[in-house]
């Protein structure tokens, strides 16, 4: 077990169940996340025999940073895991702060037709610490704080639900990485039971839904998950989510030329989500090796945008990051693994 997998509450339980004091949890959190120790020997305010016990029970090691590709306002980090697998995370520098896109699984089983990341099936879920340490090591490399996190890298976060929640608790905790819940976004392709569960999670995390199609016929074709949870079920789960949380959700909609970018689709989209407290993020498709899909023209994107706007839907067009270094949405497959 790696120490960076433990939430603050779990640490308290650990100390109590080992005949020690629960306030050590705060101290240990502060050593790990404020002082950023690299070994147990640096800890000065916990008794020696307790420290020895901790060292026996937990690994304090981080990941191996293999490479960093740097561009003006974006960096891609490639990490190696204990079993030789690789994951990627992307840092984006915005004027409002540093935002990191983290991966949640090795590979992905959702099989979205346009997505490069899913070409490799899920090998395993990431452990909590493997997600937490992506952030710690990027902060270390950067020498600056990460202010925003999006769980939009490789993997389906709601397919690794328990670890995801612990990760969120640790990075949000004031003595952890102290990243405000409203600065954290989890993106899902629409796993309905988990959306319902997530609506009861106490932190005010943002939820984004990868929608990409306004009707079942089309969504079935490009996102196999739609066969398990068709739009009617998805939308009614989101209605429950919205009524429980009073929050606003984001719909992500990739613009695929000739597939989902027609005027007709825009109107259907208004019909589908117009009654919800939401906004739509139009994403220019990052073309990949998959020749089946092409990016919509700017003219077509603007036409689509105008229809949503005229119908009073909140809509934005996503700024593009990282296409030069293959760190753009859906392109996170390390070159290493393509070989
Ligand atoms: N599994 C989660 C999170 C990872 S994908 C989800 O589906 O939301 C993050 C976002 O990038 C999703 O909206 C995904 O559909 C989108 N995406 C995948 N490939 C893309 C590409 N080539 N260009 C633009 N966006 C892409």
């Amino acid at each position: 077990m790696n120490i960076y997998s433990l939430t603050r509450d779990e640490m308290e339980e650990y100390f109590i169940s080992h005949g020690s004091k629960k306030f050590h949890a705060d101290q240990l959190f502060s050593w790990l996340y404020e002082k950023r120790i690299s070994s147990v020997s640096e800890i000065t305010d916990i008794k020696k025999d307790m420290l020895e016990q901790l060292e026996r029970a937990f690994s304090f090691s981080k990941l191996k940073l293999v490479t960093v590709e740097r561009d003006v306002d974006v960096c891609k980090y490639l990490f190696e895991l204990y079993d030789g697998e690789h994951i990627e995370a992307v840092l984006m520098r915005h004027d409002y702060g540093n935002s990191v896109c983290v991966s949640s699984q090795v590979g992905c089983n959702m099989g979205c037709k346009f997505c490069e990341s899913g070409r490799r099936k899920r090998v395993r879920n990431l452990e909590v610490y493997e997600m937490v340490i992506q952030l710690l090591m990027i902060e270390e490399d950067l020498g600056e704080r990460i202010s925003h996190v999006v769980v939009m890298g490789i993997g389906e976060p709601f397919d690794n639900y328990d670890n995801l929640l612990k990760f969120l608790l640790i990075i949000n905790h004031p003595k952890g990485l102290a990243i405000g819940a409203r600065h954290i976004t989890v993106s899902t392709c629409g796993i309905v039971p988990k959306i319902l569960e997530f609506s009861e999670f106490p932190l005010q995390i943002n939820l984004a839904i990868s929608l990409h199609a306004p009707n079942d016929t089309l969504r079935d074709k490009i996102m196999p998950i739609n066969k398990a949870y068709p739009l009617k079920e998805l939308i009614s789960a989101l209605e429950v989510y919205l009524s429980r949380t009073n929050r606003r959700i984001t719909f992500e909609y990739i613009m695929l030329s000739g597939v989902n970018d027609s005027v007709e689709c825009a109107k259907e989209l208004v019909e589908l989500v117009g009654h919800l407290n939401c906004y739509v993020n139009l994403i220019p498709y990052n073309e990949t090796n998959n020749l089946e899909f092409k990016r919509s023209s700017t003219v077509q994107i603007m036409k689509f945008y105008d229809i949503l706007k005229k119908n009073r839907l909140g809509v934005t067009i996503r700024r593009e990051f990282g296409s030069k270094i293959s760190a753009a949405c859906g392109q996170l497959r390390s070159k290493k693994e393509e070989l």
Side-chain angles (χ1 to χ4, degrees):
M1 183 86 175
N2 188 296
I3 195 76
Y4 296 96
S5 282
L6 262 61
T7 63
R8 225 275 314 252
D9 288 357
E10 287 174 333
M11 259 180 213
E12 282 190 355
E13 280 160 32
Y14 180 84
F15 283 112
I16 293 168
S17 69
H18 286 77
S20 189
K21 299 281 186 293
K22 77 173 186 186
F23 64 78
H24 285 328
D26 271 348
Q27 292 169 317
L28 185 51
F29 242 53
S30 137
W31 286 106
L32 296 175
Y33 298 106
E34 283 166 20
K35 305 190 188 91
R36 305 284 167 101
I37 54 164
S38 48
S39 91
V40 181
S41 60
E42 294 171 55
I43 300 177
T44 54
D45 53 6
I46 298 177
K47 280 209 194 98
K48 200 156 172 273
D49 54 342
M50 187 67 230
L51 287 183
E52 280 167 8
Q53 221 173 91
L54 279 176
E55 217 171 3
R56 274 196 302 274
F58 300 101
S59 157
F60 282 69
S61 65
K62 302 231 173 89
L63 305 179
K64 185 169 155 207
L65 179 55
V66 183
T67 53
V68 188
E69 283 178 65
R70 298 175 200 275
D71 207 337
V72 186
D73 47 12
V74 57
C75 299
K76 181 166 80 165
Y77 294 81
L78 178 70
F79 296 102
E80 187 170 308
L81 309 177
Y82 68 89
D83 53 0
E85 292 294 344
H86 292 92
I87 49 166
E88 289 167 296
V90 179
L91 163 78
M92 292 157 285
R93 289 167 161 286
H94 295 272
D95 47 11
Y96 56 77
N98 294 315
S99 165
V100 170
C101 176
V102 295
S103 296
S104 56
Q105 297 179 314
V106 178
C108 181
N109 272 349
M110 299 301 121
C112 301
K113 294 287 186 288
F114 45 81
C115 180
E116 191 74 358
S117 312
R119 268 178 42 205
R120 183 161 184 227
K121 288 281 150 254
R122 181 184 66 197
V123 176
R124 66 173 174 89
N125 285 330
L126 290 192
E127 299 293 334
V128 180
Y129 77 91
E130 291 170 324
M131 291 189 265
V132 172
I133 291 175
Q134 292 177 57
L135 300 181
L136 280 178
M137 291 182 66
I138 293 175
E139 282 196 344
E140 224 166 82
D141 174 72
L142 203 62
E144 284 175 33
R145 225 187 136 248
I146 292 166
S147 56
H148 292 69
V149 171
V150 295
V151 189
M152 292 189 187
I154 295 181
E156 167 50 47
F158 280 179
D159 190 32
N160 184 13
Y161 191 72
D162 295 345
N163 288 348
L164 172 77
L165 295 196
K166 287 183 189 178
F167 164 72
L168 297 174
L169 288 169
I170 294 169
I171 66 168
N172 172 253
H173 197 280
K175 293 210 178 296
L177 288 174
I179 299 171
R182 287 158 190 269
H183 287 185
I184 304 173
T185 303
V186 172
S187 176
T188 176
C189 62
I191 301 187
V192 163
K194 296 299 175 200
I195 293 173
L196 294 172
E197 263 184 80
F198 199 59
S199 69
E200 311 218 348
F201 186 57
L203 304 182
Q204 307 248 297
I205 307 280
N206 301 308
L207 180 65
I209 306 292
S210 295
L211 190 64
H212 309 325
N215 61 61
D216 282 324
T217 317
L218 182 54
R219 202 163 188 266
D220 278 350
K221 276 194 203 142
I222 59 177
M223 298 179 69
I225 191 70
N226 198 64
K227 293 185 186 138
Y229 306 112
L231 285 172
K232 197 156 170 271
E233 284 178 39
L234 176 60
I235 298 296
S236 58
L238 293 173
E239 286 165 357
V240 173
Y241 174 90
L242 288 170
S243 71
R244 283 186 187 156
T245 61
N246 269 320
R247 299 190 56 71
R248 196 176 199 209
I249 47 178
T250 306
F251 287 107
E252 293 156 279
Y253 195 98
I254 300 180
M255 299 297 292
L256 300 164
S257 179
V259 176
N260 65 356
D261 64 346
S262 65
V263 167
E264 204 35 59
C265 283
K267 290 181 180 159
E268 276 184 274
L269 184 57
V270 172
E271 280 299 305
L272 185 70
V273 304
H275 65 295
L276 301 174
N277 184 15
C278 70
Y279 76 91
V280 177
N281 196 201
L282 299 178
I283 309 174
Y285 180 59
N286 292 302
E287 291 182 5
T288 65
N289 293 337
N290 186 343
L291 302 175
E292 208 183 318
F293 297 103
K294 291 269 167 259
R295 163 196 293 242
S296 304
S297 68
T298 309
V299 172
Q300 199 59 31
I301 296 177
M302 288 318 296
K303 243 192 218 167
F304 202 93
Y305 174 93
D306 285 341
I307 294 170
L308 303 192
K309 225 33 313 151
K310 269 199 203 103
N311 286 278
R312 286 192 287 281
L313 261 184
V315 52
T316 49
I317 298 174
R318 181 176 288 175
R319 175 177 163 201
E320 290 180 79
F321 272 101
S323 35
K324 272 197 223 129
I325 58 171
S326 305
C329 308
Q331 292 191 335
L332 292 184
R333 269 182 93 239
S334 64
K335 301 218 171 61
K336 253 187 148 60
E337 274 153 18
E338 273 166 27
L339 298 175

